[in-house]
Amino acid sequence: GGGSELHIGGIFPIAGEGGWQGGQACMPAAHLALEDVNARADLLPGYRLTLHSNDSECEPGLGASVMYNLLYNEPTKLMLLAGCSTVCTTVAEAAKMWNLVVLCYGASSPALSDRQRFPTLFRTHPSATVHNPTRIKLMKKFGWSRVAILQQAEEVFISTVEDLEQRCNEAGIEIVTRQSFLSDPTDAVRNLRRQDSRVIVGLFYVVAARRVLCELYKQNLYGKQYTWFFIGWYEDNWFEVVIEKENIECTVDQMRMAAEGHITTEALMWNQNKRERTISGMTSEDFRLRLNDVLRQEGYDIDNQRYPEGYQEAPLAYDAVWSVALAFNKTMDRLHKYGKSLKDFNYNNKEIADDIYSAINSTQFLGVSGIVAFSSQGDRIALTQIEQVINGTYVVLGYYDTQADNLTWFDREVWRGGKVPQDRTIIRRVL
Ligand SMILES: CC1(C)CO[C@@H](CC(=O)O)CN1
């Protein structure tokens, strides 16, 4: 540390109502990483990494103005960190004009996997499409070749379903119907029944999920004959929570009955091996304890489960800063050979920008969020976790490594009918 500064910009969604205010936990996590990389004598010798950041409120317009303020004010920034899919879309689309790499720690939209529109985007947060190979793997494991889709009409779910349909076609799995709804799922659920849907993939935000669950109860589209796939990153008790203004007409017991047995998929964001030391020297458990201390000092009542938004994604922000430091370390070595330094970077210097790009592109290290590596489109390569609600609580059924096509399975699944549910009505011909 000490010596001259390397500056990066940070755009965090903190205040506001719309979208994801994950900067509340991700900004403290990023600051912890800054502390740690600057404490290392071997990482950026003679330099200190400095983060200049502001709040985007997960609003793309505000995010754009935060970016302009960062870029039109000294000092020159070498890279930008951002969260929220909408803000990352705006910032990453513009950043190429300043030859800046954009590293997103909180963006799940599949639309961001596009090197034409976002040539310099990388993200430590996996795309929502990371669930799809896992869903296909489970359909094959349980012999389901006829599935239905129920989705909320939101961009992230529309593009996720497009990817899922493509993978189902490749896997020879028939999509018997694809129903979508804006906010009232009644008709969509009725159409599922009409098509004799038995294995259904549900894609919606958590508020819509509660409306869907109550509708399933009312239309009796749940129980031992049905298999529901839901998204796994809702809070664990999402189906027991009563929020007056949502006007859910089902009781908590009815919601529990409809929810029993459903399966979820989610991307792993905390390294699973709790004893495994990561590049920072911490295990993911050490990181959790340190982050909790920082959040308590900020007034969050962690001991009573009062977490800030973005707590789940905090390792992604911590590892994003490590990705930056490691990339600058590589770039510094390369530039040194030509008698140059990162201090020579300016927004018109494509040569150094390309060096930074290739350094970040070859990222590969064990972070608190697991192995950090990017696909050719800058997407985070991540493991997924599969759970099932058994007697009202989530039980881990297994993990899936898409890259290696390796399913770790614990044989804990429970089928209330005593056997794997069918994907269609079997007509028994009495001869
Ligand atoms: C898993 C989730 C909640 C998906 O949305 C991300 C935010 C976004 O994509 O805008 C944050 N992480």
Side-chain angles (χ1 to χ4, degrees):
S4 52
E5 316 259 32
L6 297 175
H7 303 277
I8 57 174
I11 307 174
F12 293 93
I14 310 269
E17 284 294 309
W20 177 71
Q21 272 62 40
Q24 293 171 4
C26 287
M27 190 151 97
H31 287 149
L32 280 178
L34 276 172
E35 238 178 81
D36 295 351
V37 300
N38 285 325
R40 291 276 292 260
D42 60 330
L43 209 48
L44 299 168
Y47 287 100
R48 179 172 181 69
L49 188 60
T50 309
L51 173 67
H52 306 259
S53 56
N54 219 320
D55 182 0
S56 69
E57 300 186 17
C58 197
E59 286 295 331
L62 185 54
S65 78
V66 165
M67 178 184 73
Y68 292 132
N69 285 325
L70 286 165
L71 301 183
Y72 284 119
N73 288 302
E74 289 298 323
T76 304
K77 279 62 176 196
L78 287 162
M79 199 184 281
L80 291 177
L81 296 184
C84 278
S85 286
T86 50
V87 172
C88 286
T89 302
T90 304
V91 167
E93 195 138 32
K96 60 188 176 230
M97 306 313 292
W98 284 267
N99 287 307
L100 280 173
V101 163
V102 176
L103 188 45
C104 288
Y105 53 83
S108 62
S109 167
L112 290 165
S113 310
D114 179 344
R115 271 277 171 262
Q116 267 58 52
R117 272 184 74 192
F118 313 107
T120 63
L121 172 68
F122 292 88
R123 40 182 172 169
T124 53
H125 189 300
S127 163
T129 56
V130 79
H131 297 244
N132 289 336
T134 310
R135 291 166 175 144
I136 301 279
K137 188 70 180 177
L138 295 177
M139 290 167 192
K140 287 180 175 174
K141 174 180 173 64
F142 293 112
W144 298 319
S145 58
R146 183 178 177 279
V147 304
I149 294 168
L150 174 63
Q151 68 170 112
Q152 191 174 8
E154 291 279 345
E155 183 272 326
V156 61
F157 303 128
I158 292 165
S159 34
T160 300
V161 167
E162 277 156 15
D163 177 84
L164 180 59
E165 284 184 328
Q166 195 181 325
R167 291 172 187 273
C168 282
N169 294 340
E170 287 157 11
I173 294 171
E174 180 204 0
I175 294 181
V176 69
T177 184
R178 174 180 166 180
Q179 294 296 321
S180 75
F181 64 96
L182 261 172
S183 60
D184 178 357
T186 309
D187 293 342
V189 171
R190 190 175 301 119
N191 291 337
L192 287 174
R193 163 176 292 291
R194 283 207 187 104
Q195 303 280 343
D196 184 37
S197 309
R198 297 297 185 85
V199 179
I200 309 113
V201 178
L203 296 173
F204 18 77
Y205 286 118
V206 70
V207 173
R210 282 192 275 270
R211 298 193 67 168
V212 166
L213 206 53
C214 186
E215 200 52 43
L216 299 184
Y217 178 80
K218 287 194 268 184
Q219 298 195 34
N220 204 14
L221 209 72
Y222 72 94
K224 62 179 191 289
Q225 291 184 323
Y226 298 95
T227 305
W228 280 92
F229 283 85
F230 285 166
I231 289 174
W233 44 253
Y234 307 152
E235 56 273 6
D236 275 354
N237 66 342
W238 66 272
F239 51 87
E240 297 167 323
V241 163
V242 177
I243 294 170
E244 285 313 307
K245 66 181 161 102
E246 290 181 14
N247 299 319
I248 299 290
E249 291 154 9
C250 297
T251 66
V252 171
D253 281 346
Q254 291 165 342
M255 296 289 272
R256 283 192 184 114
M257 282 168 67
E260 183 62 25
H262 78 256
I263 288 169
T264 63
T265 54
E266 64 193 289
L268 277 184
M269 298 181 181
W270 293 73
N271 192 35
Q272 280 310 295
N273 182 332
K274 292 196 170 35
R275 278 174 301 283
E276 192 171 28
R277 292 216 170 286
T278 62
I279 193 166
S280 64
M282 287 190 292
T283 64
S284 56
E285 215 37 46
D286 296 334
F287 169 73
R288 184 188 298 278
L289 296 177
R290 253 180 93 196
L291 180 67
N292 287 352
D293 282 348
V294 166
L295 295 177
R296 278 192 201 94
Q297 285 155 32
E298 291 197 3
Y300 291 101
D301 186 3
I302 300 294
D303 304 310
N304 289 313
Q305 319 284 320
R306 294 274 179 284
Y307 294 103
E309 197 157 356
Y311 186 83
Q312 181 64 5
E313 293 86 349
L316 307 180
Y318 181 86
D319 286 346
V321 171
W322 270 87
S323 305
V324 170
L326 291 165
F328 287 171
N329 175 291
K330 278 183 217 161
T331 310
M332 219 178 283
D333 291 350
R334 282 167 65 124
L335 290 175
H336 201 63
K337 292 193 184 85
Y338 322 121
K340 289 224 182 292
S341 110
L342 279 170
K343 300 306 283 178
D344 303 324
F345 177 76
N346 59 56
Y347 301 129
N348 305 310
N349 189 321
K350 186 108 179 50
E351 185 192 7
I352 295 185
D354 288 347
D355 280 352
I356 294 174
Y357 176 94
S358 63
I360 201 94
N361 189 39
S362 61
T363 297
Q364 168 95 21
F365 67 92
L366 180 64
V368 288
S369 67
I371 292 172
V372 182
F374 305 115
S375 73
S376 55
Q377 292 163 312
D379 282 342
R380 173 69 187 269
I381 293 165
L383 297 176
T384 54
Q385 173 175 276
I386 302 112
E387 292 185 320
Q388 183 183 29
V389 172
I390 300 174
N391 298 326
T393 54
Y394 282 108
V395 171
V396 176
L397 298 186
Y399 301 105
Y400 186 51
D401 175 344
T402 309
Q403 305 292 321
D405 185 17
N406 178 17
L407 179 65
T408 304
W409 199 253
F410 304 125
D411 293 323
R412 294 174 186 157
E413 67 274 22
V414 169
W415 307 113
R416 271 165 295 172
K419 61 181 178 49
V420 174
Q422 306 282 359
D423 59 6
R424 69 199 75 199
T425 304
I426 304 294
I427 316 282
R428 300 200 185 294
R429 302 204 184 298
V430 183
L431 299 176

